């Protein structure tokens, strides 16, 4: 809770003393402004860096083809890891603002390594397509959401809103640049369908996945929808399959009947990433 601000003595007769309610409101406003600055400034850097990587990939892919694209992918992987570390304080503030433990935010090597791998894969998969900035920014933010959820079983709703807003903005940018409104419409429809699927699943299972995961699934479903409908179907099923396999493996190793609670966001993000870059539904053969 915010403490009411106190007036300094000797302010002069022309200033009215503030009531505790007004002081608390001003303190809350200052806190909100500070939080906005600490959130949107790093997020803006991520967006700008994603667009810069896209410019480089588009130019080099046109000039040198796949051979040159490897160098862009390697460089972008390093940039993604550095940006992941840079955004760690932002994640800490977001968690602290809603009283989520910040222990996961202090472990920056994991998110940095995962982001590096996803940025490398995104560049190699998308090349110079205008959707690349959206996938880059989404991967960094979603990796952090999954990482925080793994340690705390929660993640800030502000992070979900920010991720969704960034994804929609850069998705609209891709539609405008590539002149592909059909892909944009398919992405929005897919996002709505994935959201509805996970919401229904959460209602049926009484809270699994959680509502925060359901909200996050909209923008992830939209990312899959840009690729194709079979990828969307794969992305709807694969996170649950991964969760079942991992839980079964952990249960067999630990030999415990009750595994307790676990975060679904890591499986949601991992399942979406796999469904996006591999042939749709190939994993059914192995399962």
């Amino acid at each position: 809770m915010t403490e009411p601000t106190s007036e300094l003595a000797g302010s002069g007769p022309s200033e009215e003393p503030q009531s505790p309610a007004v002081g608390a409101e001003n303190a809350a406003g200052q806190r909100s402004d500070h939080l906005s600055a600490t959130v949107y400034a790093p997020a803006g850097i991520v967006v700008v860096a994603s667009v810069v990587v896209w410019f480089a990939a588009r130019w080099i892919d046109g000039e040198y083809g796949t051979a040159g694209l490897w160098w862009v992918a390697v460089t972008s992987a390093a940039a993604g890891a550095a940006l992941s570390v840079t955004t760690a304080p932002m994640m800490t503030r977001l968690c602290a603002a809603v009283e989520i433990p910040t222990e996961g935010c202090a472990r920056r090597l994991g998110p940095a390594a995962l982001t590096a791998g996803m940025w490398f894969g995104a560049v190699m998969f998308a090349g110079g397509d205008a959707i690349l900035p959206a996938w880059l920014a989404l991967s960094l933010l979603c990796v952090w959401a999954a990482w925080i959820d793994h340690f705390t079983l929660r993640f800030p709703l502000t992070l979900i809103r920010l991720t969704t807003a960034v994804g929609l903005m850069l998705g609209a940018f891709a539609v405008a640049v590539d002149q592909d409104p059909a892909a944009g419409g398919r992405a929005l429809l897919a996002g709505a369908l994935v959201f509805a699927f996970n919401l229904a699943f959460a209602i049926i299972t009484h809270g699994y996945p959680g509502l925060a995961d359901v909200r996050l699934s909209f923008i992830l479903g939209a990312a899959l929808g840009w690729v194709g409908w079979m990828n969307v179907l794969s992305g709807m099923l694969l996170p649950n399959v991964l969760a079942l396999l991992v839980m079964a493996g952990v249960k067999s190793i630990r030999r415990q009947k009750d595994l307790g609670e676990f975060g679904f966001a890591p499986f949601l993000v991992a399942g979406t990433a796999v469904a996006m870059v591999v042939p749709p539904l190939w994993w059914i053969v192995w399962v």
Side-chain angles (χ1 to χ4, degrees):
M1 296 178 63
T2 56
E3 295 291 337
T5 56
S6 59
E7 288 292 318
L8 294 176
S11 298
S14 62
E15 297 186 9
E16 294 289 339
Q18 284 187 329
S19 67
V22 174
E25 182 179 351
N26 289 343
Q30 292 174 358
R31 179 182 177 184
S32 177
D33 291 341
H34 176 68
L35 183 60
S36 297
T38 57
V39 170
Y40 297 124
I45 295 173
V46 171
V47 170
V48 171
S50 300
V51 174
V52 169
V53 171
W54 168 71
F55 269 117
R58 196 175 184 91
W59 180 75
I60 291 181
D61 189 29
E63 292 289 329
Y64 304 102
T66 305
L69 203 59
W70 274 91
W71 292 103
V72 179
V74 171
T75 304
S76 69
L83 283 171
S84 177
V85 173
T86 302
T87 56
M90 167 184 120
M91 302 300 171
T92 300
R93 293 186 183 97
L94 284 177
C95 290
V98 291
E99 300 181 354
I100 294 178
T102 59
E103 58 176 295
C105 300
R107 307 180 183 185
R108 304 179 181 182
L109 182 59
L114 292 171
T115 301
M118 295 188 75
W119 277 44
F120 179 89
V123 171
M124 294 304 301
F125 183 67
D129 290 348
I131 196 61
L132 178 61
W135 288 351
L136 293 176
L138 282 180
S139 62
L140 187 149
L141 296 173
C142 289
V143 161
W144 267 114
W147 188 258
I148 294 169
D149 189 44
H150 171 70
F151 285 100
T152 67
L153 304 181
R154 299 169 59 195
F155 52 94
L157 291 180
T158 302
L159 180 56
I160 303 176
R161 298 188 190 103
L162 178 64
T163 303
T164 303
V166 167
L168 291 176
M169 178 186 69
L170 292 176
F173 167 81
V175 170
V177 171
D178 283 348
Q179 297 294 307
D180 193 0
R186 185 175 64 242
L188 290 176
L189 180 57
L193 289 175
V194 172
F195 175 86
F197 170 79
N198 284 289
L199 179 60
F201 199 73
I203 293 173
I204 293 172
T205 59
H206 302 287
Y208 179 83
L211 290 181
D213 302 311
V214 173
R215 291 186 175 115
L216 182 63
S217 70
F218 167 77
I219 197 63
L220 293 176
L224 287 168
W226 187 277
V227 183
W229 285 115
M230 292 301 295
N231 299 82
V232 174
L233 177 60
S234 183
M236 292 169 68
L237 300 176
L238 191 53
N240 297 286
V241 172
L242 289 177
L244 289 174
L245 291 176
V246 170
M247 292 303 103
V250 172
K251 185 176 180 179
S252 63
I253 293 174
R254 296 182 179 178
R255 300 183 183 279
Q256 296 177 352
K257 293 184 178 180
D258 186 8
L259 296 176
E261 295 182 326
F262 59 92
F264 185 66
F267 302 108
L268 186 62
V269 174
T272 300
V274 174
M276 185 176 295
V277 300
V278 301
L281 303 180
W282 68 272
W283 45 272
I284 289 180
V285 177
W286 301 102
V287 176

